[in-house]
Amino acid sequence: MMSKPITVLVSIDSNSLLLGARHFKNYLNTLVENYNLSSMVEILETGSFGDYGRGVLFLVLPDDVMYSAKSEADIEKIVLEHFLKGRIVKDLVIAEFDSGGSVEASESSNEERIVLRNAGSIDPRNLEEYIALDGYQGLAKALRMTPEGVIEELKKSSLRGRGGAGFPTGLKWEFTQKVRSDEKFVICNADEGEPGTFKDRLIMEGDPHSVIEGMVIAGYAVGASKGYIYIRGEYFESVASLRGAISKAYEYGLLGQSVLGTEFSFDLSVRLGAGAYVCGEETALIESIEGKSGRPRLKPPYPPVSGLYDKPTVVNNVETFACVPPIIDKGAGWFRSMGTQSSPGTKVFSLCGDLVKRGIVEVPMGTSVRDLVHKFGGGIPNGRTLKMVQTGGAAGTFIKPEEMDAELDFDSFKKSGASLGSGVILAIDETHCAVDIAKNLMEFFAHESCGKCSPCREGTRVIVHILNEFSKGRGTVEMFNQLYDISDTMEESSFCGLGQSVPIPLRSILDRFENEFLSHVNSPVCPVGVCKFDKPEKKKR
Amino acid sequence: MSLVNCPDCQRLYKELDEYIDSVKGNTGVLINVLHKAQEIFGYLSEELQQHVSEKLDIPLSQVYGVVTFYNFFSMKPKGKNQIKVCLGTACYVKGADKILERLRDELNVEMNEPTSDGLFSIHAVRCLGACSMAPVVLIGEDDYYGRVSPDEVSKILDKYRRAE
């Protein structure tokens, strides 16, 4: 693979592109040519190294030096010093480590990578590199097993859906497998729209074949011959990455007629979403693939019985599919050796908000919020104090700093009130007002409510109205209590998961910041100074 | 925009029809066709929806229902450069509302309406999936701007003004 003495891996993904990664790579190319180093230096694009915020990352092999470049001058320095003179540019280095060690492992010792095993170490557009690192081994092994055997292995692994709900994947596949039908489908839910979540994007752009392989295995296990990846239309990079990977997989006989020379056939295509949060709900997603407005269906029947075009359908999240190949390849026992008893394996977290290091990490299930915020996220910048953390995504809970020992897995919501959800850690510092945060979040739900059922459609509207009154200094204690009433109604009577889960973040922030909400009633100004109260005679009503 | 006073329209409709013919017969293609139509025409006018409805043999009511359901589809012309400001929680926490405010001041325009010169329009979008770079602004399809501060706004706009 390494034909030239020096190989440079440039991390290219949606986040690093924002920092000018492509431009820097081209500039590096130009410099290498200008200095006649083309025969010495190979420049390759790879997926994300999972760490942002410090500039565009370049990994120089075989020296295993990771550089962070913020300007063209930095690039020039690397070429002049490192490539020409063999001297490492110390002030641009962010990690130096032994061969074979992964970047993250050296930085933060207990990161474990299953899903992101290849992201940042292979060229995602090169199928051979994926294959060289045991890619499609899981599929090859699965095809030698019976479909029941594959499902049995998954059940033993206790893999649970990574989209947020945590339903046992093996069980879902078994339901689908047992239904008799002339046609079945496999759908990958890549409609990542949970505010604060960007993990699926990283997987699709950094290692698209891991998702495809997982889907083909699913097709074999449940007896489906057609799959769809439903992806957000705004994710241009991911769409291109997946489309490229799919056509490569066809070329190599990993998709299409008689996969790997067996009797099993599987077709896969990409379907674009068009910006509707509710389409993350699996039946709404199915409606959308059918070309209709994405409004959820009544359940039961569930998709394993009657899904796409009323045929049995498996719907799983991107991250879940990416977990499948290594489980089949290495066995359920290996998977169960990581994470917690009820939630084995790892979880990819999106770290965002007021954190020093914002980005993606993959850690064993059961990692505490504290570790994610401080150890992996680097704590709170600008010498400020942490006020709250929202875990799990838009529909996740807000917790206070003193609750950060909560260990996140699928059962943590029951145990400690902190939800795992889709793996978001959103840190919010003291400069933010709880009312304002709640208002922004609820505006999101009001906007994304599909309008099918009244508890959600009207409930979110009234909630936003009330929070608006609070932010104008016109709130009352009755209104505060009313928010709880609406929450109860929405939880009990909303049609789908969207409306049912709105009360989760709302109640959690009301419970924990009751005083702050009430001080918007009693005092003349917002205690944090964020909300702008209406000036004259406040609280007339 | 009707067929009569749009010199390009015939060519654009032809491009759309070629796409429709290539996918026609497959199930559930409406959304993909609308994606393509919006890509070609910029927005989905009533005439255009009528056209799609006839070509795909899907009731106009259903086409209209889908167009109005999804955030991505627009029935109004947009600015040449669509400025999408992410208002997802992570961006909001990092001050996206202030970016939006500055943009509206600079361009003196309402949300979702094109500026008088037709050069820009501002749209609030949900999470763009680049949360580590919050606050994020996306102009057109590919020009992402991360960690934007309100003071950078006019500099960014100038780039597009100069390109004219």
Side-chain angles (χ1 to χ4, degrees):
Chain A
M1 219 159 61
M2 250 177 263
S3 50
K4 298 180 188 175
I6 298 176
T7 305
V8 187
L9 291 174
V10 189
S11 166
I12 302 269
D13 64 74
S14 303
N15 283 265
S16 76
L17 284 174
L18 283 173
L19 295 161
R22 177 103 347 110
H23 172 71
F24 284 179
K25 188 206 144 193
N26 292 340
Y27 187 67
L28 180 64
N29 236 332
T30 317
L31 285 183
V32 165
E33 276 168 24
N34 289 351
Y35 287 102
N36 284 324
L37 292 169
S38 302
S39 59
M40 300 280 292
V41 181
E42 178 100 65
I43 302 167
L44 296 173
E45 288 187 14
T46 185
S48 177
F49 296 128
D51 191 348
Y52 312 105
R54 293 188 276 191
V56 178
L57 302 184
F58 293 84
L59 178 62
V60 182
L61 298 169
D63 300 344
D64 281 327
V65 178
M66 176 82 82
Y67 286 120
S68 161
K70 295 195 175 70
S71 64
E72 288 187 357
D74 288 349
I75 309 270
E76 194 154 357
K77 229 173 175 177
I78 295 170
V79 174
L80 289 178
E81 290 293 312
H82 194 149
F83 298 171
L84 279 177
K85 300 177 188 159
R87 289 198 291 247
I88 290 169
V89 189
K90 283 260 159 45
D91 50 335
L92 298 178
V93 172
I94 60 164
E96 222 177 321
F97 43 92
D98 299 332
S99 244
S102 92
V103 187
E104 295 295 333
S106 71
E107 276 210 314
S108 28
S109 51
N110 51 352
E111 207 190 1
E112 298 252 14
R113 290 186 154 211
I114 298 176
V115 175
L116 299 176
R117 57 195 178 275
N118 295 326
S121 58
I122 63 168
D123 177 355
R125 286 165 311 173
N126 190 334
L127 175 57
E128 276 127 10
E129 290 194 19
Y130 179 72
I131 292 172
L133 292 167
D134 295 340
Y136 288 103
Q137 285 290 325
L139 174 63
K141 192 168 164 192
L143 291 175
R144 291 194 299 270
M145 298 158 75
T146 61
E148 290 80 7
V150 173
I151 290 172
E152 200 47 47
E153 194 67 26
L154 264 194
K155 278 167 72 182
K156 269 197 273 173
S157 78
S158 302
L159 172 67
R160 296 169 70 174
R162 260 55 176 164
F167 192 82
T169 308
L171 218 51
K172 190 186 271 188
W173 290 18
E174 188 175 50
F175 291 151
T176 315
Q177 197 247 349
K178 288 202 167 142
V179 181
R180 286 176 161 221
S181 172
D182 55 337
E183 206 175 11
K184 294 180 188 178
F185 296 102
V186 176
I187 295 175
C188 174
N189 183 350
D191 190 45
E192 183 170 72
E194 194 74 31
T197 316
F198 48 111
K199 62 174 180 72
D200 292 347
R201 177 168 208 155
L202 195 110
I203 300 166
M204 293 185 286
E205 289 165 24
D207 197 14
H209 285 288
S210 66
V211 183
I212 296 172
E213 185 181 356
M215 290 186 73
V216 183
I217 294 173
Y220 174 72
V222 305
S225 56
K226 175 89 193 133
Y228 292 99
I229 302 176
Y230 184 85
I231 183 171
R232 287 183 60 185
E234 293 97 325
Y235 274 25
F236 299 104
E237 286 280 324
S238 307
V239 173
S241 164
L242 284 170
R243 283 196 169 139
I246 288 173
S247 72
K248 268 272 169 322
Y250 268 106
E251 235 174 77
Y252 280 68
L254 298 158
L255 282 173
Q257 290 296 314
S258 59
V259 172
L260 290 174
T262 62
E263 278 172 22
F264 170 65
S265 300
F266 193 75
D267 283 305
L268 187 58
S269 58
V270 171
R271 279 298 168 91
L272 299 185
Y277 176 70
V278 71
C279 288
E281 199 281 340
E282 56 184 2
T283 59
L285 186 155
I286 286 169
E287 288 280 300
S288 185
I289 291 186
E290 292 182 7
K292 297 184 253 177
S293 300
R295 291 201 179 84
R297 295 176 180 174
L298 188 64
K299 291 193 276 193
Y302 291 90
V305 176
S306 173
L308 187 62
Y309 305 116
D310 300 325
K311 305 286 184 188
T313 305
V314 163
V315 185
N316 278 130
N317 174 264
V318 172
E319 191 184 344
T320 314
F321 280 123
C323 284
V324 170
I327 290 176
I328 300 299
D329 188 27
K330 297 180 183 170
W334 165 80
F335 190 72
R336 291 197 61 99
S337 70
M338 285 163 283
T340 59
Q341 185 63 28
S342 69
S343 315
T346 59
K347 181 80 193 78
V348 181
F349 284 92
S350 313
L351 310 180
C352 55
D354 296 318
L355 288 174
V356 173
K357 282 161 54 181
R358 296 183 260 161
I360 300 278
V361 289
E362 182 174 353
V363 293
M365 283 280 188
T367 301
S368 71
V369 180
R370 187 179 305 283
D371 276 355
L372 287 162
V373 167
H374 288 288
K375 204 158 140 196
F376 297 100
I380 316 306
N382 309 322
R384 292 190 182 136
T385 309
L386 182 67
K387 181 167 180 170
M388 57 182 129
V389 181
Q390 189 183 22
T391 68
T397 45
F398 289 92
I399 61 169
K400 285 192 145 182
E402 55 267 29
E403 301 171 81
M404 289 207 302
D405 287 321
E407 292 168 348
L408 294 179
D409 66 13
F410 288 113
D411 299 317
S412 56
F413 181 60
K414 266 185 272 162
K415 278 193 301 213
S416 56
S419 35
L420 173 71
S422 57
V424 177
I425 297 293
L426 174 71
I428 297 169
D429 73 20
E430 57 190 338
T431 61
H432 298 282
C433 163
V435 172
D436 188 57
I437 294 287
K439 188 173 80 132
N440 168 264
L441 186 64
M442 291 300 138
E443 280 171 350
F444 166 76
F445 283 120
H447 183 257
E448 295 299 340
S449 173
C450 77
K452 178 165 181 148
C453 73
S454 37
C456 177
R457 183 185 65 237
E458 300 305 318
T460 50
R461 268 182 51 188
V462 177
I463 291 169
V464 168
H465 171 76
I466 292 177
L467 292 173
N468 220 0
E469 292 294 290
F470 271 91
S471 73
K472 293 265 165 49
R474 296 193 297 243
T476 62
V477 177
E478 292 75 49
M479 284 180 177
F480 184 77
N481 293 327
Q482 212 186 341
L483 290 174
Y484 281 99
D485 289 344
I486 301 169
S487 295
D488 293 344
T489 309
M490 285 186 69
E491 183 174 47
E492 283 163 25
S493 57
S494 291
F495 189 84
C496 81
L498 195 158
Q500 287 159 14
S501 58
V502 170
I504 295 170
L506 184 60
R507 279 199 202 113
S508 70
I509 199 167
L510 294 176
D511 286 349
R512 286 164 178 82
F513 294 92
E514 182 173 347
N515 286 340
E516 193 162 322
F517 275 81
L518 294 182
S519 67
H520 280 70
V521 177
N522 301 320
S523 67
V525 289
C526 166
V528 194
V530 172
C531 305
K532 305 274 179 289
F533 286 8
D534 282 356
K535 275 282 145 60
E537 65 220 302
K538 162 187 174 294
K539 268 198 298 166
K540 249 212 146 165
R541 302 188 284 150
Chain B
M1 199 191 281
S2 73
L3 266 171
V4 198
N5 54 24
C6 163
D8 272 346
C9 272
Q10 232 159 349
R11 185 176 55 79
L12 298 181
Y13 271 106
K14 192 163 164 272
E15 190 184 341
L16 178 63
D17 288 348
E18 276 166 17
Y19 177 77
I20 291 176
D21 290 337
S22 75
V23 296
K24 211 174 166 179
N26 299 350
T27 38
V29 292
L30 177 58
I31 291 177
N32 282 10
V33 167
L34 291 173
H35 265 288
K36 190 74 187 176
Q38 182 160 303
E39 185 190 314
I40 295 172
F41 288 84
Y43 72 106
L44 302 167
S45 65
E46 275 179 45
E47 289 93 329
L48 188 51
Q49 291 177 46
Q50 178 88 49
H51 180 79
V52 169
S53 150
E54 282 163 13
K55 285 291 282 187
L56 287 177
D57 203 16
I58 293 173
L60 181 59
S61 61
Q62 198 186 324
V63 176
Y64 178 80
V66 168
V67 169
T68 48
F69 183 84
Y70 294 99
N71 218 10
F72 190 83
F73 298 130
S74 169
M75 288 181 55
K76 281 190 293 194
K78 295 176 177 176
K80 184 175 170 200
N81 300 291
Q82 290 151 35
I83 306 173
K84 293 171 185 150
V85 183
C86 178
L87 287 187
T89 349
C91 284
Y92 188 75
V93 165
K94 300 309 276 179
D97 52 328
K98 291 176 189 75
I99 308 291
L100 197 61
E101 207 178 284
R102 185 66 72 89
L103 274 167
R104 292 179 57 170
D105 283 354
E106 283 267 340
L107 295 173
N108 192 21
V109 68
E110 290 300 309
M111 299 292 294
N112 305 316
E113 299 283 344
T115 48
S116 51
D117 56 6
L119 207 50
F120 298 104
S121 56
I122 313 171
H123 310 270
V125 292
R126 66 192 180 128
C127 190
L128 286 167
C131 314
S132 70
M133 301 305 302
V136 175
V137 173
L138 169 64
I139 302 187
E141 287 196 358
D142 309 308
D143 295 358
Y144 277 93
Y145 297 89
R147 305 199 172 188
V148 180
S149 74
D151 292 339
E152 286 167 357
V153 164
S154 68
K155 212 174 69 193
I156 293 173
L157 293 177
D158 279 345
K159 225 172 93 179
Y160 295 87
R161 288 180 176 131
R162 273 200 306 270
E164 283 308 298

